[in-house]
């Protein structure tokens, strides 16, 4: 129910346009495909992905001798799902002790997302420690502390300007001492200096290699779904400098550009693991591609 309501704007943006194409054409011709193409691209699904979806659709139409444009709707839904690949990606933080690095540019909702994740894990009775390794901004640590309190998780921080790697070191020590299940690390994951970011992440990962080699590791990038193609570009750039294991798309509730989830999975092969659908601690949902496409179209 919630998933559906969080996607209202995206649904209105993509699907209503598409449905008027299905009902507006009396036969399947080049104009029909052109209009579908335009609607998908406008829906932030990405040019390359759109082309692949439409190629698949054409093939299916031919193979199954489809004549009616309205009969293409189901085939199109199928093609989108196929393009997205694996359906359920969310990591349930269950296998073993986990260290999760969270990166993303300022304002995308990184801190909020870490708070929501902590809340989700606490609700599953996991022991969670937050590492405030974004020591670049003084406010970042304070803001994370508020979320830690809300989620009832412990937070390890450092002085403004201190070495983020030192914070990680302390956080790992705390996680081990308390037998934590998950260590969530907020980082100053900035993009304006790729080399710095890469070095910073490497340094933090080396500490985990040394101090916590048995831990399961993830690096999640947080992207703002309202920024559409810009979010896709950010995902690409982050993917070049770090071993990204997944994406969290925030602000889905306010975005008409949720179609970007299709492009991220299809074009970059990165799994979308969670979506943010509001500002409170409960507004984070596991992402499931099939469910997502169904919520858009049905
Ligand atoms: P950061 O700079 O990346 O750490 O971003 P913040 O966590 O401070 O979030 C920036 C703003 O986005 C805040 O006002 C959040 O409440 C808001 N925000 C974060 N996630 C979501 C979401 O899923 N939906 C909505 N509507 N707002 C969000």
């Amino acid at each position: 129910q919630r998933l559906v309501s969080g996607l209202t704007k995206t649904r209105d943006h993509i699907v209503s346009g598409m449905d008027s194409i299905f009902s507006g054409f009396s036969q399947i011709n080049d104009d029909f495909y052109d209009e579908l193409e335009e609607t998908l691209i406008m829906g932030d699904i990405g040019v390359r992905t759109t082309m692949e979806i439409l190629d698949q659709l054409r093939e299916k139409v031919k193979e199954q001798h489809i004549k009616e444009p309205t009969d293409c709707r189901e085939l199109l839904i199928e093609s989108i799902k196929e393009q997205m690949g694996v359906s359920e990606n969310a990591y349930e933080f269950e296998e073993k002790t986990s260290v999760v690095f969270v990166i993303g540019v300022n304002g995308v909702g990184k801190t909020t997302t870490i708070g929501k994740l902590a809340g989700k894990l606490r609700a599953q009775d996991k022991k969670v420690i937050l590492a405030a390794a974004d020591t670049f901004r003084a406010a970042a640590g304070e803001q994370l502390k508020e979320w830690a309190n809300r989620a009832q998780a412990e937070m390890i921080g450092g002085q403004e300007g201190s070495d983020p790697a030192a914070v990680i070191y302390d956080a790992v020590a705390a996680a081990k001492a308390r037998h934590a299940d998950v260590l969530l690390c907020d980082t100053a994951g900035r993009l304006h200096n790729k080399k710095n970011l890469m070095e910073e992440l490497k340094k933090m990962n080396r500490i985990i290699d040394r101090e916590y080699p048995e831990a399961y590791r993830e690096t999640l990038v947080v992207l703002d779904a309202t920024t559409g193609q810009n979010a896709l570009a950010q995902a690409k750039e982050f993917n070049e400098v770090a071993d990204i294991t997944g994406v969290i798309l925030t602000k889905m509730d306010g975005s008409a550009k949720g179609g970007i989830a299709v492009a991220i999975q299809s074009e970059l092969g990165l799994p979308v693991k969670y979506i943010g659908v509001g500002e409170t601690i409960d507004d984070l949902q596991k992402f499931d591609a099939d469910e997502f496409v169904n919520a858009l179209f049905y």
Side-chain angles (χ1 to χ4, degrees):
Q1 200 58 44
R2 245 196 151 121
L3 176 71
V4 178
S5 65
L7 296 176
T8 308
K9 286 194 177 176
T10 299
R11 191 172 52 219
D12 290 349
H13 186 58
I14 305 179
V15 178
S16 50
M18 210 110 79
D19 281 340
S20 61
I21 299 171
F22 291 130
S23 59
F25 277 82
S26 56
Q27 55 176 335
I28 300 170
N29 54 25
D30 286 347
D31 286 347
F32 169 75
Y33 285 120
D34 284 350
E35 289 209 15
L36 278 184
E37 181 183 310
E38 201 183 313
T39 307
L40 287 168
I41 290 172
M42 295 292 286
D44 283 280
I45 282 173
V47 176
R48 209 168 85 195
T49 308
T50 296
M51 296 308 167
E52 281 166 14
I53 288 168
L54 289 178
D55 283 349
Q56 266 189 351
L57 179 66
R58 279 195 187 89
E59 233 167 77
K60 286 179 186 178
V61 164
K62 217 187 247 168
E63 264 171 25
Q64 300 177 28
H65 309 291
I66 305 286
K67 294 277 175 292
E68 294 295 322
T70 46
D71 293 338
C72 292
R73 192 178 198 271
E74 286 301 311
L75 297 178
L76 184 81
I77 294 167
E78 246 176 58
S79 301
I80 295 173
K81 285 181 182 172
E82 279 167 30
Q83 273 302 311
M84 290 184 83
V86 181
S87 178
E88 198 187 342
N89 300 310
Y91 165 49
E92 282 302 281
F93 303 97
E94 253 155 13
E95 298 103 68
K96 48 182 171 175
T97 308
S98 304
V99 176
V100 182
F101 289 108
V102 184
I103 62 180
V105 305
N106 285 343
V108 292
K110 193 159 53 97
T111 313
T112 307
T113 300
I114 293 172
K116 290 174 182 175
L117 267 178
K120 214 176 190 42
L121 291 162
R122 291 291 301 128
Q124 293 167 18
D125 234 9
K126 302 278 186 230
K127 195 166 267 181
V128 183
I129 293 191
L130 304 185
D134 182 355
T135 54
F136 194 77
R137 283 188 306 156
E142 287 158 28
Q143 207 192 333
L144 193 68
K145 182 75 194 154
E146 279 174 34
W147 278 104
N149 291 342
R150 229 170 268 157
Q152 295 181 300
E154 187 181 345
M155 188 192 95
I156 305 292
Q159 297 289 323
E160 184 182 351
S162 65
D163 184 357
V167 174
I168 298 295
Y169 186 89
D170 291 344
V172 167
K176 280 193 197 165
R178 320 263 201 287
H179 302 287
D181 297 298
V182 184
L183 174 59
L184 291 175
C185 309
D186 187 16
T187 67
R190 282 176 195 78
L191 264 178
H192 66 242
N193 190 335
K194 278 197 197 178
K195 197 152 173 286
N196 263 3
L197 172 62
M198 210 187 305
E199 289 307 319
E200 204 173 283
L201 285 171
K202 267 193 196 148
K203 201 168 160 191
M204 291 192 281
N205 270 298
R206 274 201 299 272
I207 289 169
I208 309 298
D209 291 340
R210 201 172 62 218
E211 305 294 327
Y212 221 0
E214 69 277 22
Y216 176 92
R217 241 177 281 182
E218 289 240 12
T219 303
L220 303 177
V221 58
V222 179
L223 303 168
D224 178 344
T226 62
T227 64
Q229 292 307 303
N230 197 7
L232 186 66
Q234 276 176 25
K236 262 184 206 154
E237 286 201 61
F238 275 118
N239 206 23
E240 283 164 16
V241 298
D243 291 325
I244 305 295
T245 56
V247 170
I248 300 180
L249 269 178
T250 61
K251 311 185 196 180
M252 273 292 200
D253 50 307
S255 175
K257 300 177 176 175
I260 199 72
V262 182
I264 286 168
Q265 292 211 166
S266 163
E267 239 164 84
L268 304 182
L270 289 175
V272 177
K273 301 212 168 187
Y274 295 93
I275 56 172
V277 292
E279 295 186 275
T280 73
I281 197 157
D282 298 321
D283 293 323
L284 186 75
Q285 298 176 342
K286 282 206 299 190
F287 183 81
D288 177 303
D290 283 356
E291 233 174 56
F292 171 79
V293 177
N294 289 343
L296 287 183
F297 283 91
Y298 299 112

